[in-house]
Amino acid sequence: MTIPGFFEGTGMPDPGWWEALWPDPAKVLTDVGIKPGMDVVDLCCGDGWFTLPLARLARGVVAIDIDAALLEAAKVRMAERGGASNCAFVEANAYDIGKVIRDPVDHVFLANAFHGVPDRPRLAAAVRDVQRAALPRQRTH
């Protein structure tokens, strides 16, 4: 099945593959600079491998994925492992992050998806535009 807007080459591997690649997701999150009290987007969250550790670490998390079935799997993963009340799940295209995230966030986390993005500059700009620490845009004349 092909989902309109789905990035090519970004199918969801089985859970055993995630464990082999990322055996300690919480450490990955701290290693990339996510700290307690941050507001974070888990962009292209898939089945939620990083979503629960993010919710345990951050003040608030918005998990975004284009695939409703994967979002449901992320919700189930979260519920089975104790849940978190600081996480919202949103079905949306990653390019539309600015339509979903109304207030700036501290960090946008994206794992295992950027390689399949057809228009990387477009996604990078969309991510930049929702981050608190983003530099102001320079005007072009």
Side-chain angles (χ1 to χ4, degrees):
M1 171 178 95
T2 301
I3 298 170
F6 198 74
F7 301 146
E8 292 181 31
T10 56
M12 182 57 63
D14 64 56
W17 188 86
W18 282 124
E19 281 186 50
L21 185 61
W22 308 107
D24 189 352
K27 181 177 181 330
V28 171
L29 297 170
T30 57
D31 285 351
V32 300
I34 298 171
K35 296 175 177 64
M38 286 184 158
D39 292 311
V40 181
V41 173
D42 187 0
L43 190 60
C44 304
C45 70
D47 66 1
W49 184 251
F50 288 99
T51 309
L52 180 57
L54 268 173
R56 289 180 175 159
L57 180 61
R59 173 179 43 218
V61 176
V62 178
I64 300 172
D65 204 279
I66 197 169
D67 187 332
L70 288 175
L71 277 176
E72 189 57 35
K75 290 177 191 177
V76 168
R77 180 189 298 273
M78 176 98 49
E80 288 176 349
R81 290 170 176 82
S85 61
N86 63 338
C87 185
F89 294 88
V90 179
E91 182 180 348
N93 188 308
Y95 292 130
D96 296 331
I97 188 173
K99 294 176 185 174
V100 174
I101 304 300
R102 299 291 183 193
D103 296 316
V105 297
D106 299 299
H107 194 102
V108 176
F109 181 78
L110 175 68
N112 298 321
F114 198 71
H115 65 279
V117 176
D119 188 346
R120 291 181 187 113
R122 177 181 171 200
L123 182 59
V127 166
R128 177 202 59 216
D129 289 347
V130 301
Q131 292 188 89
R132 279 191 185 102
L135 297 173
R137 277 192 172 179
Q138 301 223 345
R139 293 181 185 235
T140 57
H141 300 278

